[in-house]
């Protein structure tokens, strides 16, 4: 990889970490915010550069691209998150290669992942993707269906319910973002009362990270601000 590109990744990672620390200091939530590096559409060399700078958790959106990277980088101690849409014919690959799945929105997908998770691996960590704004064009479980799906996942012995994630609409203003993220935070706290394994609220991307952390995110998923624009 061109050294310049690797240098930029290291620099951007440093800036993002510093930004996260600054925003966390202003937030009323006293929680550590984990940085997930979203590496979709970027080459394995970019991931290696981020690894050299101390990054360990990475996320991919497309099954085959993700599986290829997991295999090519199996010399590194990485934690892999699947965050994209998941069809039932691809669940086996995800169950075999990833540590986390953040995009569960249907019982059928959860059931298949549970059945297909290899016995020799730790339970697959699961976040339920929530359509917090009830946007008809968006994927994710509706707010009022979260409890039932969470209950189902919590009964699956090869899955571990860790929390919820959301993606907001692209063209909302900061106030709307804060409101939606706050609704996610209260949903998260309710879920935690019922399921003690819940410890992860994944929200905030390059464009809305500040609002997400201020509203109580403890995991942010950052792609372009670390790796640059995707083609
Ligand atoms: C692509 C993607 C991200 C990262 O988006 P950026 O705007 O590049 O930070 C985060 N979460 C999900 C689900 C994504 O698909």
């Amino acid at each position: 990889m061109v050294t310049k590109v690797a240098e930029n990744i290291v620099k951007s990672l440093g800036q993002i970490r510093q930004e996260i620390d600054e925003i966390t200091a202003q937030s009323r939530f006293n929680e550590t915010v984990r940085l997930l590096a979203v590496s979709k559409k970027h080459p394995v060399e970019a991931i290696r550069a981020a690894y050299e700078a101390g990054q360990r958790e990475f996320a991919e959106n497309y099954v085959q691209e993700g599986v290829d990277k997991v295999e090519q980088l199996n010399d590194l101690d990485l934690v892999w998150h699947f965050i994209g849409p998941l069809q039932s014919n691809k669940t086996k690959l995800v169950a075999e290669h990833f540590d986390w799945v953040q995009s569960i929105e249907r019982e059928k997908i959860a059931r298949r992942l549970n059945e297909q998770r290899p016995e020799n691996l730790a339970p697959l960590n699961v976040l339920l993707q929530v359509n917090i704004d009830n946007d008809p064009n968006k994927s994710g479980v509706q707010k009022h269906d979260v409890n039932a799906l969470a209950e189902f996942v919590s009964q699956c012995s090869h899955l571990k319910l860790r929390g919820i994630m959301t993606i907001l609409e692209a063209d909302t203003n900061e106030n709307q973002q804060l409101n939606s993220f706050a609704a996610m935070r209260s949903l998260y706290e309710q879920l935690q009362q019922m399921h003690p394994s819940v410890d992860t609220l994944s929200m905030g991307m390059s464009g809305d990270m500040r609002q997400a952390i201020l509203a109580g995110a403890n995991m942010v998923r950052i792609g372009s601000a670390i790796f640059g624009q995707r083609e």
Side-chain angles (χ1 to χ4, degrees):
M1 159 166 262
V2 192
T3 325
K4 188 78 196 149
V5 177
E7 270 173 23
N8 282 341
I9 290 171
V10 174
K11 197 168 128 213
S12 301
L13 254 180
Q15 285 167 350
I16 290 284
R17 289 189 185 124
Q18 193 181 338
E19 227 177 296
I20 289 174
D21 287 346
E22 284 166 10
I23 304 167
T24 306
Q26 295 166 31
S27 141
R28 64 188 177 86
F29 300 94
N30 198 13
E31 293 178 16
T32 303
V33 176
R34 284 159 69 187
L35 171 59
L36 183 55
V38 180
S39 46
K40 64 182 175 207
K41 304 259 182 89
H42 291 284
V44 289
E45 290 78 10
I47 299 174
R48 286 191 186 274
Y51 177 86
E52 291 297 322
Q55 181 65 29
R56 290 295 177 271
E57 296 196 80
F58 294 87
E60 290 286 331
N61 281 61
Y62 309 101
V63 176
Q64 198 53 57
E65 179 188 343
V67 167
D68 288 347
K69 287 176 178 169
V70 171
E71 285 176 346
Q72 286 175 57
L73 294 167
N74 68 5
D75 57 313
L76 307 181
D77 59 329
L78 302 181
V79 177
W80 287 100
H81 296 243
F82 187 79
I83 61 173
L86 184 50
Q87 307 300 325
S88 47
N89 61 343
K90 299 278 176 64
T91 49
K92 187 158 188 282
L93 280 170
V94 170
E96 290 172 349
H97 291 85
F98 284 82
D99 305 293
W100 290 68
V101 179
Q102 302 205 1
S103 44
I104 299 289
E105 52 178 356
R106 290 189 285 147
E107 205 175 289
K108 180 183 177 192
I109 299 295
R111 181 184 299 113
R112 289 177 64 89
L113 289 169
N114 184 50
E115 287 165 3
Q116 294 166 337
R117 181 69 170 171
E119 291 285 345
N120 61 322
L121 297 182
L124 184 61
N125 298 293
V126 164
L127 301 184
L128 310 181
Q129 182 172 348
V130 181
N131 184 352
I132 196 69
D133 298 318
N134 294 327
D135 177 350
N137 305 314
K138 262 295 183 39
S139 45
V141 60
Q142 303 290 308
K143 214 167 119 178
H144 56 262
D145 293 328
V146 167
N147 283 346
L149 187 56
E151 188 56 37
F152 180 82
V153 169
S154 73
Q155 309 275 325
C156 293
S157 56
H158 297 106
L159 304 180
K160 186 171 186 186
L161 180 67
R162 299 293 296 268
I164 51 179
M165 80 85 109
T166 198
I167 309 169
L168 296 192
E169 263 180 283
D171 54 354
T172 47
N173 66 39
E174 288 194 9
N175 257 345
Q176 293 169 310
Q177 291 167 355
L178 281 169
N179 283 338
S180 299
F181 287 142
M184 282 292 287
R185 179 71 200 195
S186 77
L187 193 59
Y188 168 74
E189 289 176 1
Q190 286 167 35
L191 204 60
Q192 226 172 11
Q193 299 301 314
M194 288 176 283
H195 303 282
S197 61
V198 166
D199 61 1
T200 305
L201 176 54
S202 169
M203 58 189 194
M205 314 188 354
S206 298
D208 55 14
M209 178 179 92
R210 161 176 290 275
Q211 292 78 276
I213 295 173
L214 290 176
N218 55 29
M219 178 183 282
V220 291
R221 308 179 307 272
I222 307 299
S224 47
I226 296 172
F227 295 110
Q229 292 304 318
R230 295 174 286 271
E231 81 271 19

